[in-house]
Amino acid sequence: GMCGLVGEGLLTRRHGPGPFVAGRVEKQFSKLTSFSEDMAARGRVPHSKWLSKTEGAVTPDESLTLGLSPGTRVFRFNRIRYADDMGMALEYSTIAGYGLPGVDAVDASLYAALDAAGNRPVRALQRLRAVLFDAEKAALIGVDPGAPGLFIERRGFLEDGRAIEMTHSWYRGDAYDFVAELNALA
């Protein structure tokens, strides 16, 4: 989870709808928990709907973020995350090809699959900012186009310092208090 961001005052709530982010945050976490683990720990039932699981060649953006050579194989996992029956987030992950045996290695939890392959991230850098949902993403998560959201960019690293994971998440803004509670308790 996004441990302690709210407790440290890095996320602030102002008047009006939706989350607001105080500046850009780049933070290292000593312990990483997955969305599934976070939800289960709070008595919510987490589940995901996979939008796609694909294999392909790394894009220029991904190669910069993950430190991979052009042409390197990567896996991409796009999904909608739910807590109970509410769509909470859209999550688009790119995993370096060496990290998993194949796309089918991932069942319900991406981190569980990385763990099984011996490649679970041990730390992450996250940047957060307030955004508005475009029509396509709004439809997927079940909010109105233009609704406020929280965009989170995460890079996960292995013990040896290699970047293994690049994830872009869009959390619905009206779930802000729920996300804040996760952070405060994590």
Side-chain angles (χ1 to χ4, degrees), residues 16-144:
F20 291 89
V21 180
R24 294 192 79 160
V25 179
E26 188 145 339
K27 184 168 167 53
Q28 181 173 325
F29 302 108
S30 52
K31 181 172 191 311
L32 283 176
T33 55
S34 70
F35 179 90
S36 303
E37 291 162 349
D38 276 344
M39 294 297 135
R42 313 260 173 324
R44 304 290 289 259
V45 180
H47 64 102
S48 295
K49 177 184 167 193
W50 291 103
L51 298 170
S52 61
K53 297 183 189 182
T54 57
E55 180 184 323
V58 70
T59 66
D61 183 45
E62 291 166 337
S63 71
L64 272 175
T65 303
L66 292 171
L68 298 172
S69 311
T72 304
R73 180 178 71 151
V74 293
F75 301 113
R76 298 186 187 94
F77 301 95
N78 298 348
R79 59 190 160 174
I80 307 173
R81 316 295 311 245
Y82 294 87
D84 298 330
D85 293 319
M86 177 188 264
M88 293 290 290
L90 299 175
E91 199 170 85
Y92 299 166
S93 298
T94 302
I95 302 297
Y98 66 79
L100 291 168
V103 285
D104 295 336
V106 176
D107 180 24
S109 168
L110 179 56
Y111 270 30
L114 286 168
D115 208 9
N119 289 313
R120 183 178 172 131
V122 296
R123 74 182 180 92
L125 289 171
Q126 295 196 147
R127 286 189 305 193
L128 303 89
R129 66 176 186 264
V131 292
L132 300 178
F133 275 92
D134 64 28
E136 182 192 357
K137 291 185 180 69
L140 284 171
I141 204 171
V143 297
D144 294 329

